[in-house]
Amino acid sequence: MRKNISPAVLICGLFIWLICPKNLNAKQIVCPVCEISSIKQAIEIAAAHDTLLIKKGTYKEFNILIDKPLTLLGENYPVIDGEDKGEIIRIESDNVTVDGLFIINVGTSYTADHAAIRVVKSEHFVIQNVVLEKLFFGIYLEKSNNGKVYHNKIIGDAVNEYNSGNGIQLWYSHNVVVDRNIVQGTRDGIYLEFSDNVAIKDNISSNNLRYGLHFMFSNDDVYTDNVFENNGAGVAVMFSKRITMHNNIFRKNWGTASYGMLLKEIYDAEITGNTFEENTIGINIEGSNRIKYRNNEFANNGWAIKVRGACYANTFENNNFLYNSFDISYNSKVNDNVFSQNYWSGYTGYDLNNDGVGDVPYRPVKLFSYIVNRTPETIVLLRSLFMDIIDFSEKVSPVFTPDNLVDAEPLMKRAE
Amino acid sequence: MLKILKYSFYDLMRSRWSYVYFLFYLVLGFVLLFLNNDLSKAVITLMNIIIVLVPLIGTIFGVMYYYNSKEFTELLLAQPLKRSTIFLGQYFGVAGSLTLSLVLGLGIPFILYGLFRSDAIFNFVLLLVIGAFLTLIFTALAFNIALSNENKIKGFGYAVLLWLFLAVIYDGLFLLSLIIFEEYPLDTFSLAATMFNPIDLSRTLILLKLDISALLGYTGAVFKKFFGTDLGLIVSLAVLLLWTVLPVQRLAFKAKRKDF
């Protein structure tokens, strides 16, 4: 390829570079002892498409408004201290990049959602390598599309839901990529409202007060390879359509009102290859239709799946249910969902023709689980001998549990 | 009393059944830990076994021992000894040897698998304490039944029925009443109902100490508020103690008046 570039082109390029070297990509240097010692001042001076190189130091500033396409590049993580006075950076221009800053002390307010970085009605923004601490809201995208939130670390110290904010919040923001972020100790780790076509990948969301990831009225979103650990509830997906959930790990969302995943009014979603481990309730499903559950692993949960009602035409295939206290809890006698070719660790049937599929159908709903649904207080009889006996008799001749709620082809070995 | 206790104890220690019981727990402990190296999970499985098996063995052993040693008891009665001394000595001999089999049988494998380096030690100790209490309670109840029934078959029948009632039927009635009265607030009721049955009390006590308690939801929260505190633990242990003391008292009282 190199041979194809003629000397003429080279000379021409050199000429252009000589004529306008600085206007294209000027660099403004900001440091506490420099000529330009504040970020606000630097933004004022800068021309569009400039890069502001912010040197190491502490900048006590808030309400920094970026209203032209700029790149804010931090060197060795300069600290921007908002001193709890309010919002810190507000972006109101397209093509803004914020990179490598350490932002602390966002003001808490009960009337305004102060954020460390807020993007308003802007496109093509990139927010990366930013560390946020002592925050109210972290990164707040408001009607901003086609951007990227990449490799940030958000560490909150939220104690109460009413006076804490979300780590990363998207509001009416479409086509955004949220990738490799670490969010902990906020209210909702990542929150999406009215945001479509968002891709959420490789994030770790843990120890958040409410949800690790929360969808509201957001459609066609994808989240893959994320880890949700020890949150109030791992992921809450509500009132959304066509959400794809792949290869995520939901772990240790354990407590009296905790879930791995909470589905409410979800249609046509796909849940595949996820791992649900040690959650009080693996998936809590309410009013959700046409969802495909495939190749998921449910291990050591209290309830693997709790179906609350109005759930139709869902299919559960090739999932592994391993050592959960209850595999499925179901609150009605009508069943329109299909369970097929799953592996159940509680299965005691046999496989005479050795085709890997058990010859006796498996009934995942135990009588005890049915009783607990009716009268929640009866849970105090958990692990009592009497319950084991009636579970056994129900297994032999089902009376109370839905007749057609069976896995007619239970696997003998764990699904891959 | 100590002499009789010692005699009964050594008598049982020499008997095959004590060894069988001890070996059973030893094997159980090793197998559990071999299959599943996680100490805290083994404690859960063990709980299931202990709350069913310990009362059963205690009941059967107690009745059996009483009837078997009846001739010897009659011989002792001819001696200038207090009656309560004779019967309490026998009772503590039986209960003591059973408890020892349980504690050693389960303790040895768990210690070998590194109990002292694990944070499950408190749960395990609680499990053993509860196992010991259940042995004491059910052996005392069995002695009471045997003392009140001359007829061996009847005595055995009542003893097994007692175990069946407390281990199974009681829970069934409990469940029924919970379902029938589901319209009413049942927290205090279920708390009280749990207190009245030593097996249920033991089960709840252990469950709430393990993190499985999060499953119990709202009712669990009420339970946890009671049992989870030190006061709750002390109250529960006091109730278990009461369950032990009352039958033993009756045993001493009954023995004094019985006509042999």
Side-chain angles (χ1 to χ4, degrees):
Chain A
M1 288 300 284
R2 189 169 284 174
K3 278 177 188 164
N4 291 344
I5 301 171
S6 67
V9 172
L10 265 179
I11 290 163
C12 207
L14 196 68
F15 185 68
I16 292 169
W17 182 73
L18 279 173
I19 282 198
C20 45
K22 298 220 165 125
N23 286 349
L24 265 180
N25 239 334
K27 208 173 229 180
Q28 307 279 349
I29 296 176
V30 188
C31 72
V33 290
C34 297
E35 198 181 323
I36 310 168
S37 62
S38 90
I39 298 167
K40 269 187 203 169
Q41 194 188 348
I43 292 169
E44 224 163 87
I45 298 167
H49 302 290
D50 277 4
T51 296
L52 307 187
L53 183 70
I54 303 167
K55 297 263 188 184
K56 195 175 169 66
T58 304
Y59 301 86
K60 296 198 169 160
E61 292 181 66
F62 66 102
N63 283 342
I64 301 168
L65 174 67
I66 305 177
D67 52 1
K68 47 194 144 189
L70 293 175
T71 298
L72 266 68
L73 182 64
E75 199 181 81
N76 295 327
Y77 287 98
V79 178
I80 303 179
D81 185 350
E83 297 182 302
D84 294 322
K85 283 180 183 156
E87 195 155 272
I88 297 183
I89 294 178
R90 186 185 179 92
I91 298 168
E92 287 190 10
S93 159
D94 294 349
N95 302 312
V96 172
T97 301
V98 176
D99 189 347
L101 301 179
F102 187 172
I103 303 178
I104 58 169
N105 295 331
V106 181
T108 303
S109 160
Y110 295 93
T111 50
D113 293 344
H114 293 318
I117 300 173
R118 179 188 292 269
V119 186
V120 185
K121 292 181 189 163
S122 308
E123 306 239 330
H124 307 291
F125 54 87
V126 177
I127 296 166
Q128 61 184 7
N129 306 323
V130 167
V131 181
L132 309 180
E133 274 181 26
K134 301 208 171 90
L135 54 118
F136 184 43
F137 279 79
I139 298 168
Y140 197 130
L141 311 180
E142 195 181 313
K143 295 194 172 174
S144 301
N145 308 324
N146 305 315
K148 196 169 180 189
V149 178
Y150 175 80
H151 200 267
N152 302 296
K153 195 167 177 179
I154 302 176
I155 300 184
D157 45 10
V159 181
N160 297 307
E161 271 186 28
Y162 65 89
N163 63 357
S164 52
N166 304 326
I168 299 171
Q169 173 150 355
L170 281 75
W171 189 67
Y172 282 111
S173 298
H174 308 310
N175 301 316
V176 177
V177 176
V178 180
D179 198 353
R180 280 170 214 239
N181 299 287
I182 296 173
V183 187
Q184 47 186 267
T186 60
R187 185 174 62 191
D188 284 352
I190 303 169
Y191 178 58
L192 280 76
E193 198 170 345
F194 307 110
S195 297
D196 302 339
N197 298 311
V198 173
I200 297 168
K201 281 186 296 186
D202 297 303
N203 300 288
I204 299 173
S205 182
S206 57
N207 301 316
N208 296 297
L209 280 189
R210 199 166 62 183
Y211 304 127
L213 170 61
H214 188 181
F215 291 89
M216 279 297 219
F217 315 106
S218 301
N219 305 324
D220 303 293
D221 299 324
V222 180
Y223 68 95
T224 54
D225 302 295
N226 301 290
V227 177
F228 304 100
E229 196 169 319
N230 203 12
N231 301 295
V235 176
V237 192
M238 298 181 179
F239 308 101
S240 302
K241 291 170 197 157
R242 298 174 300 275
I243 307 279
T244 312
M245 322 173 198
H246 284 315
N247 303 340
N248 299 291
I249 297 173
F250 303 78
R251 204 189 286 148
K252 292 192 174 137
N253 298 295
W254 191 264
T256 45
S258 290
Y259 311 97
M261 191 197 279
L262 176 66
L263 301 180
K264 193 174 164 67
E265 305 292 329
I266 301 303
Y267 304 115
D268 305 293
E270 221 176 85
I271 300 174
T272 52
N274 300 291
T275 306
F276 297 85
E277 227 173 47
E278 293 178 53
N279 305 291
T280 308
I281 299 175
I283 308 185
N284 189 73
I285 316 169
E286 210 175 322
S288 300
N289 305 331
R290 300 181 300 275
I291 298 176
K292 286 191 182 71
Y293 300 83
R294 304 189 67 236
N295 298 92
N296 300 296
E297 183 160 310
F298 300 87
N300 300 318
N301 302 291
W303 283 266
I305 296 176
K306 200 162 192 171
V307 183
R308 298 275 196 186
C311 296
Y312 305 104
N314 300 299
T315 53
F316 298 82
E317 280 175 350
N318 286 83
N319 301 293
N320 289 320
F321 291 86
L322 309 169
Y323 319 107
N324 304 295
S325 289
F326 302 97
D327 287 331
I328 313 268
S329 153
Y330 214 81
N331 71 347
S332 81
K333 292 199 90 171
V334 187
N335 174 39
D336 188 43
N337 304 309
V338 179
F339 292 86
S340 176
Q341 304 215 338
N342 299 292
Y343 173 77
W344 312 85
S345 61
Y347 183 62
T348 49
Y350 45 82
D351 177 21
L352 286 182
N353 55 0
N354 274 327
D355 59 352
V357 173
D359 299 346
V360 189
Y362 179 74
R363 302 181 154 271
V365 179
K366 287 185 193 163
L367 178 60
F368 185 32
S369 133
Y370 170 82
I371 293 172
V372 167
N373 240 317
R374 238 192 83 168
T375 319
E377 283 86 0
T378 53
I379 189 83
V380 296
L381 293 170
L382 181 74
R383 287 177 185 266
S384 119
L385 180 62
F386 177 74
M387 281 307 166
D388 294 344
I389 293 172
I390 62 166
D391 270 347
F392 179 74
S393 61
E394 174 75 10
K395 196 164 119 189
V396 175
S397 56
V399 182
F400 298 101
T401 48
D403 294 334
N404 56 352
L405 209 163
V406 288
D407 187 340
E409 301 171 309
L411 297 181
M412 295 303 289
K413 282 191 181 142
R414 282 171 66 162
E416 292 301 314
Chain B
M1 187 171 101
L2 270 178
K3 231 175 201 156
I4 294 167
L5 191 156
K6 223 164 95 187
Y7 183 81
S8 288
F9 188 76
Y10 283 125
D11 180 31
L12 273 166
M13 280 287 111
R14 276 198 302 271
S15 89
R16 200 160 8 125
W17 288 110
S18 285
Y19 287 114
V20 170
Y21 192 51
F22 165 71
L23 281 177
F24 168 75
Y25 278 119
L26 196 70
V27 170
L28 180 76
F30 273 119
V31 167
L32 267 182
L33 289 169
F34 175 72
L35 291 178
N36 179 0
N37 240 321
D38 189 345
L39 282 173
S40 55
K41 285 209 177 109
V43 168
I44 299 181
T45 320
L46 218 49
M47 179 206 78
N48 283 339
I49 296 165
I50 280 191
I51 58 169
V52 173
L53 215 60
V54 165
L56 182 66
I57 302 280
T59 319
I60 302 286
F61 235 74
V63 174
M64 228 162 65
Y65 186 81
Y66 178 85
Y67 286 130
N68 271 351
S69 62
K70 203 163 176 194
E71 280 167 13
F72 175 63
T73 311
E74 274 164 14
L75 183 77
L76 280 178
L77 284 169
Q79 308 299 319
L81 284 168
K82 269 169 76 183
R83 280 192 168 188
S84 60
T85 313
I86 298 172
F87 288 98
L88 287 184
Q90 285 187 348
Y91 162 70
F92 281 115
V94 175
S97 75
L98 285 179
T99 309
L100 197 71
S101 297
L102 173 78
V103 171
L104 287 184
L106 288 180
I108 290 170
F110 271 78
I111 286 169
L112 288 184
Y113 269 81
L115 178 70
F116 292 124
R117 275 174 279 120
S118 150
D119 48 358
I121 185 155
F122 180 74
N123 291 335
F124 185 72
V125 168
L126 183 72
L127 190 79
L128 287 188
V129 167
I130 282 170
F133 262 120
L134 285 176
T135 311
L136 289 172
I137 292 167
F138 279 85
T139 315
L141 291 173
F143 260 74
N144 268 299
I145 288 171
L147 202 60
S148 310
N149 291 287
E150 283 296 311
N151 187 338
K152 271 190 193 180
I153 304 296
K154 242 182 168 176
F156 261 108
Y158 283 136
V160 171
L161 200 67
L162 173 86
W163 171 80
L164 201 64
F165 179 78
L166 288 176
V168 182
I169 300 171
Y170 186 89
D171 284 353
L173 296 175
F174 188 8
L175 177 71
L176 270 183
S177 50
L178 282 177
I179 291 176
I180 291 170
F181 300 110
E182 63 182 344
E183 308 283 313
Y184 301 91
L186 290 168
D187 313 322
T188 332
F189 167 73
S190 29
L191 215 66
T194 311
M195 281 287 178
F196 277 111
N197 181 344
I199 295 184
D200 270 355
L201 183 60
S202 315
R203 183 171 52 80
T204 317
L205 211 56
I206 299 171
L207 272 188
L208 288 177
K209 284 287 160 216
L210 305 173
D211 55 353
I212 204 167
S213 59
L215 292 188
L216 301 184
Y218 169 70
T219 321
V222 174
F223 269 59
K224 187 135 202 167
K225 216 168 142 196
F226 180 74
F227 289 109
T229 57
D230 288 339
L231 178 77
L233 189 67
I234 290 166
V235 169
S236 327
L237 288 179
V239 169
L240 283 177
L241 199 66
L242 207 67
W243 263 103
T244 322
V245 170
L246 285 181
V248 172
Q249 283 284 335
R250 188 182 174 277
L251 181 71
F253 180 78
K254 198 85 186 168
K256 258 184 212 158
R257 275 156 191 72
K258 191 168 157 71
D259 194 14
F260 282 94

